[in-house]
C-alpha cells in the first residue's frame, strides 16, 4: 500500500509541477505552488514538524493514518493526540505505537512545548474554541470542514487566524484532487465556455447513524452528533460545504444570496436536522447554483455538474462533455499533416457520422491522474506550509466562504427567506 | 443534414474564408429546407405529410431533383429508389404477424408510384403510403452546389466533408498532387489498405452500420434491396469515386443493396471507381468478432 501511495504521489507531483507551470494554475490556485517549492522540503533531521491531533473518531483516525505515511518522508512527528473518549484515545495511542503523548483535554495538549500545529477532527460545535485557542497559542491549525456551527464562530476563527498570522487550513480536500485541479483549469481557460449554471447533489440512503458503545444511550449525541441541531447543521455542514466550495471555486467568487427549503420527511427517529434540503445560491452575473441533498435515496449518488455554453463538467465522475461534436480524428490528422508539411493518406470514408444522443455520448476524462488520495495530499500541503510558516490566504478564504454559506443556507431554510451576507461577515 | 460538416481550405485569408463559409452554410441550410425528411418546414416533409395525393404543386428545384432520381432509378435498374424508407420503417416497427404482410406493403412503394406532370409542375403519389426520402442523395447534391460556390470564389484547393461519408477533394493537398484518403476500418482508427486519390473528385461511402470515432460499431442500419426485397445482412460498405459528387452519392446508395452478380452487370455502365469492403458476411460472424475483440 505504501508503495502504491508513493508511486501515485510521485505521479501527482509530476503532473502538479506541469500544472503550476501554467500561469492560470499558478495564479488561481497558489496553494499548489508549495508542491514545486523546494524550500518547503526537509532540510535536516532537526527540521522536524511536530503535530498534535484533536479528535480520534472515524475522521481523526483517517487523518492519523494518513499522517503516518509522512513520518519519514517529510520528517514529521505525531507528537500528541487528544480525545475525551477513552477508547478512542487508547486506540489512537496504539496506532502511534505509543510514540505520541495522550491527552483527554485539548487545552493541555496545546500547551505542549515544541508543537508546531494541530489537526482538529471533532464534532462541528467544538471546532471554533479549539481552533481559536490553538491559534492564540501560536499553533498552526488544520481543521476539518465545516469551520463552525454558527457564523459568528466562523468569523471568530478567521479573525484569529488573521490576528495571529498562523495558518488556518480547512479540510476541503477537493482543492487537492487532480480531477478538480485539472477541471478547474479547463474552466478558467474557457474550454466549456461561459458558466451559466451549476447543479450539485449528494444523495445517500442510510440513517447516518453510528452504533453506540454498548448500546448506551448516553453516548447518542457524542456519537451521532451530525443528527442534532445544536452540534451540526447536518447535510449542509457535513456534505454541502464541499460542494459549495466547488461552486465558489468554479465561479471564482461567492454567492450573493441563498434561498432554500428542507424537512425531515423520512428519518423520523428523533433527529432534529433535516434529512433533505434543496437550495438555490445566486451568484453575480445571474448564475444560479442549484443544490439538493437527501439521505433516503442513493440512486443519483453525488455530483457537481458545471454547465457552460460550450460544455459540461461532472467532477465526481471525472468527465467533460463538449456541446459541439468532437472534430473527426481524420480531419485533425489532415490538419496536422498540412501544418507539418506532410502528405499522408487519412481514413475518411465510412458511414455518415451522426450526433450521439446524451445517453450515448460518454464524454472525455478530465484527468488521467485520478487515483490519488486527496486527503493525504492536503495534509502534505499543511506540513509544507508549516515549514514555510505561511499558506496562501485564498486557501483559508475558501474554507471561510464555504462554511459561511452552508450556514446561511440553513438560515434561509429556517426563516423561509432569501438570505444575503451582511457586511459584518465580508472579508 | 444531421451530421458534422468540415470545410478545409488551405492558405485562405480569414476574411475570404469567412465569406465563403457563410455562403456555403446558407446554401446547405437552403437545401436542407428543401429536402429534409425530418424538418417539419421542409418541402419534402410537407409532401410526405400531405392530405391528398394528386396534383400537388412542387418547386422547380424539387421537380428537377425527382427527375434526376427517376433517371438513376432506370440507369441502376431499380436499385436507386427514394421511396423505400416507409418499408424500412415498417419492418423496424412491425410485429411478426404484420411482417407476414410485408410483401403486400412493399407493393405500395416504388418510383413508379410517384408521377410528375411536366405541364402542371405537380407531383402525384399513387397511394397514401408513398413517401420520398433523399437520405442517399442530399449530401451529394449539396457537395455539387458547394463545388460551384468554391469555383465562383476562385477557390481551387479544398477538402469538404459531410460526416466523412461524402467528401470532395478539390485540387490538391498543399503537400501533394491530390487528396489521399483511405476507407475507415471497422474497430480501428487506421485506414484500410485501399488508398484513393481525389483530384477534383468526390468519394461517397454508404454502409449499413455506423462507427464511433474510435472505430467501434455504434449501430447497424437496415437497408433493403428494392429488387430482391431482402435486407443486407453482412456488414458492408461501398465507396464510389466520381467527378460528380451527386453521382457518387447515388451510386454508393444503390450499390450497397445490389447483389454481386447484378453489381458486375451494372457497374460497367458508369465512369466511376468502386471500392467495396465487406467486413462480415453474417451477424453471427460479427458477434464472434466482437467477442474476440
Amino acid at each position: 500500500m505504501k508503495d502504491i501511495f508513493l508511486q501515485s504521489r510521485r505521479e501527482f507531483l509530476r503532473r502538479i509541477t506541469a500544472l503550476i507551470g501554467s500561469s492560470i494554475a499558478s495564479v488561481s490556485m497558489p496553494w499548489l505552488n508549495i508542491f514545486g517549492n523546494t524550500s518547503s522540503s526537509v532540510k535536516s533531521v532537526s527540521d522536524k514538524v511536530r503535530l498534535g491531533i484533536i479528535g480520534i473518531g472515524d475522521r481523526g483516525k483517517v487523518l492519523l493514518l494518513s499522517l503516518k505515511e509522512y513520518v519519514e518522508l517529510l520528517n514529521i512527528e505525531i507528537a500528541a493526540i487528544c480525545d475525551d473518549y477513552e477508547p478512542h484515545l487508547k486506540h489512537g495511542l496504539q496506532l502511534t505505537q505509543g510514540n505520541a503523548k495522550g491527552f483527554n483535554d485539548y487545552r493541555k495538549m496545546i500547551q505542549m512545548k515544541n508543537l508546531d500545529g494541530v489537526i482538529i477532527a471533532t464534532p462541528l460545535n467544538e471546532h471554533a474554541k479549539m481552533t481559536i485557542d490553538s491559534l492564540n497559542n501560536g499553533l498552526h491549525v488544520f481543521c476539518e470542514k465545516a469551520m463552525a456551527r454558527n457564523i459568528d464562530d466562523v468569523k471568530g476563527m478567521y479573525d484569529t487566524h488573521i490576528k495571529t498570522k498562523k495558518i488556518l487550513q480547512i479540510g476541503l480536500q477537493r482543492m487537492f484532487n487532480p480531477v478538480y485541479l485539472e477541471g478547474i483549469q479547463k474552466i478558467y481557460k474557457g474550454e466549456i465556455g461561459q458558466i451559466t449554471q451549476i447543479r450539485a447533489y449528494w444523495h445517500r440512503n442510510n440513517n447516518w447513524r453510528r452504533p453506540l458503545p454498548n448500546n448506551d444511550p448516553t453516548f447518542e449525541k457524542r456519537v451521532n452528533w451530525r443528527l442534532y441541531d445544536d452540534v451540526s447543521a447536518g447535510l449542509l455542514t457535513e456534505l454541502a460545504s464541499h460542494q459549495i466550495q466547488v461552486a465558489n471555486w468554479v465561479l471564482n467568487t461567492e454567492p450573493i444570496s441563498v434561498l432554500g427549503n428542507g424537512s425531515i420527511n423520512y428519518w423520523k427517529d428523533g433527529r432534529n436536522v433535516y434529512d433533505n434540503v434543496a437550495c438555490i445560491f445566486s451568484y453575480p452575473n445571474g448564475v444560479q447554483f442549484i443544490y439538493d441533498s437527501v439521505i433516503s435515496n442513493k440512486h443519483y449518488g453525488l455530483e457537481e455538474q458545471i454547465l457552460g455554453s460550450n460544455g459540461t463538467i461532472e467532477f465526481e465522475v471525472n468527465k467533460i462533455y463538449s456541446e459541439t461534436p468532437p472534430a473527426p480524428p481524420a480531419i485533425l490528422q489532415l490538419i496536422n499533416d498540412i501544418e507539418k508539411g506532410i502528405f499522408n493518406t487519412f481514413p475518411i470514408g465510412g458511414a455518415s457520422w451522426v450526433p450521439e444522443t446524451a445517453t450515448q455520448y460518454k464524454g472525455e476524462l478530465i484527468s488521467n491522474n485520478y487515483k490519488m488520495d486527496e486527503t493525504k495530499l492536503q495534509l502534505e500541503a499543511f506540513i509544507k506550509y508549516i515549514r514555510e510558516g505561511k499558506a496562501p490566504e485564498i486557501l483559508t478564504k475558501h474554507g471561510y466562504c464555504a462554511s459561511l454559506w452552508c450556514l446561511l443556507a440553513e438560515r434561509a431554510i429556517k426563516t423561509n427567506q432569501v438570505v444575503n451576507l451582511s457586511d459584518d461577515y465580508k472579508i | 443534414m444531421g451530421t458534422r460538416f468540415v470545410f478545409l481550405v488551405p492558405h485562405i485569408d480569414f476574411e475570404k474564408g469567412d465569406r465563403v463559409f457563410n455562403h456555403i452554410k446558407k446554401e446547405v441550410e437552403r437545401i436542407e429546407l428543401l429536402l429534409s425528411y425530418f424538418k417539419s418546414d421542409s418541402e419534402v416533409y410537407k409532401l410526405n405529410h400531405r392530405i391528398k395525393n394528386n396534383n400537388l404543386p412542387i418547386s422547380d428545384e424539387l421537380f428537377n431533383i425527382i427527375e434526376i432520381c427517376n433517371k438513376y432509378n432506370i440507369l441502376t435498374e431499380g436499385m436507386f429508389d427514394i421511396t423505400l424508407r416507409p418499408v424500412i420503417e415498417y419492418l423496424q416497427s412491425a410485429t411478426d404477424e404484420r411482417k407476414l404482410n410485408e410483401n403486400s406493403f412493399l407493393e405500395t412503394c416504388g418510383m413508379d408510384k410517384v408521377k410528375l406532370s411536366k405541364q402542371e409542375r405537380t407531383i402525384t403519389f399513387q397511394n397514401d403510403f408513398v413517401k420520398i426520402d433523399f437520405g442517399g442523395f442530399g449530401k451529394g447534391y449539396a457537395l455539387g452546389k458547394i463545388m460551384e460556390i468554391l469555383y465562383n470564389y476562385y477557390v481551387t484547393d479544398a477538402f469538404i466533408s459531410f460526416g466523412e461519408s461524402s467528401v470532395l477533394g478539390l485540387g490538391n493537398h498543399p503537400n501533394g498532387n491530390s487528396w489521399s484518403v483511405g476507407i475507415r476500418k471497422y474497430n480501428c482508427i487506421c485506414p484500410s489498405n485501399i488508398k484513393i486519390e481525389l483530384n477534383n473528385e468526390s468519394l461517397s461511402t454508404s454502409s449499413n452500420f455506423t462507427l464511433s470515432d474510435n472505430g467501434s460499431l455504434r449501430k447497424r442500419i437496415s437497408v433493403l434491396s428494392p429488387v430482391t426485397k431482402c435486407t443486407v445482412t453482412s456488414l458492408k460498405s461501398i465507396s464510389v469515386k466520381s467527378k460528380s459528387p451527386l453521382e457518387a452519392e447515388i451510386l454508393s446508395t444503390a450499390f450497397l443493396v445490389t447483389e454481386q452478380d447484378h453489381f458486375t452487370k451494372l457497374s460497367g455502365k458508369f465512369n466511376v471507381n468502386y471500392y467495396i469492403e465487406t467486413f462480415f458476411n453474417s451477424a453471427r460472424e460479427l458477434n464472434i468478432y466482437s467477442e474476440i475483440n
Side-chain angles (χ1 to χ4, degrees), chain A residues 326 345-346 348-353, chain B residues 3-4 163-165 180 182 184 207 209:
Chain A
T345 299
F346 55 99
I348 197 79
S352 273
W353 181 93
Chain B
T3 189
R4 58 187 171 198
E164 294 90 85
S165 67
S180 178
R184 291 183 67 197
S207 53
F209 58 92

Side-chain angles (χ1 to χ4, degrees), chain B residues 102 106 223-232 257 259:
Chain B
E102 116 190 14
L106 274 169
V223 289
L224 183 80
S225 163
V227 174
T228 63
K229 319 288 190 199
C230 293
T231 52
V232 178
V257 291
E259 295 283 304

Side-chain angles (χ1 to χ4, degrees), chain A residues 353-367:
Chain A
W353 181 93
V354 289
E356 309 212 26
T357 63
T359 51
Q360 287 170 327
Y361 176 40
K362 305 291 190 236
E364 317 295 329
L365 289 181
I366 298 170
S367 169

Side-chain angles (χ1 to χ4, degrees), chain A residues 136-272:
Chain A
N136 280 331
N137 228 42
L139 297 172
H140 301 295
V141 174
F142 175 97
C143 179
E144 267 303 333
K145 61 80 205 152
M147 283 172 76
R149 180 63 191 91
N150 65 67
I151 59 174
D152 286 326
D153 280 349
V154 172
K155 185 68 165 47
M157 289 166 74
Y158 182 78
D159 288 345
T160 310
H161 146 73
I162 294 293
K163 184 188 78 182
T164 59
K165 295 187 174 61
K166 293 293 170 187
I167 297 162
L168 174 57
Q169 183 179 341
I170 307 303
L172 294 162
Q173 62 267 26
R174 282 165 179 74
M175 296 174 79
F176 294 87
N177 180 315
V179 173
Y180 287 79
L181 295 169
E182 292 185 36
I184 293 283
Q185 194 190 30
K186 286 178 190 293
I187 291 167
Y188 288 176
K189 280 163 76 179
E191 287 188 25
I192 62 167
Q194 182 188 332
I195 307 302
T196 51
Q197 191 181 86
I198 299 177
R199 304 191 301 197
Y201 49 86
W202 200 321
H203 295 183
R204 292 173 169 177
N205 193 350
N206 60 51
N207 62 9
W208 219 2
R209 285 189 170 279
R210 291 174 191 184
L212 304 179
N214 305 317
N215 282 327
D216 182 350
T218 58
F219 283 102
E220 169 65 6
K221 217 165 195 179
R222 287 181 66 180
V223 173
N224 290 312
W225 56 270
R226 292 170 187 82
L227 309 182
Y228 295 96
D229 183 73
D230 53 337
V231 184
S232 167
L235 298 171
L236 291 164
T237 45
E238 309 313 320
L239 302 181
S241 51
H242 283 298
Q243 295 167 305
I244 294 169
Q245 186 271 320
V246 171
N248 293 347
W249 191 11
V250 164
L251 296 169
N252 206 15
T253 184
E254 61 178 304
I256 50 178
S257 68
V258 58
L259 58 89
N261 263 304
S263 70
I264 302 172
N265 66 14
Y266 189 78
W267 295 107
K268 296 174 182 178
D269 56 0
R271 72 186 62 200
N272 57 13

Side-chain angles (χ1 to χ4, degrees), chain A residues 8 30 80-81 146 148 185 191 198 218 260 297-298 426:
Chain A
S8 58
I81 58 173
Q185 194 190 30
E191 287 188 25
I198 299 177
T218 58
N297 180 295
K298 63 178 189 309
K426 287 181 180 162

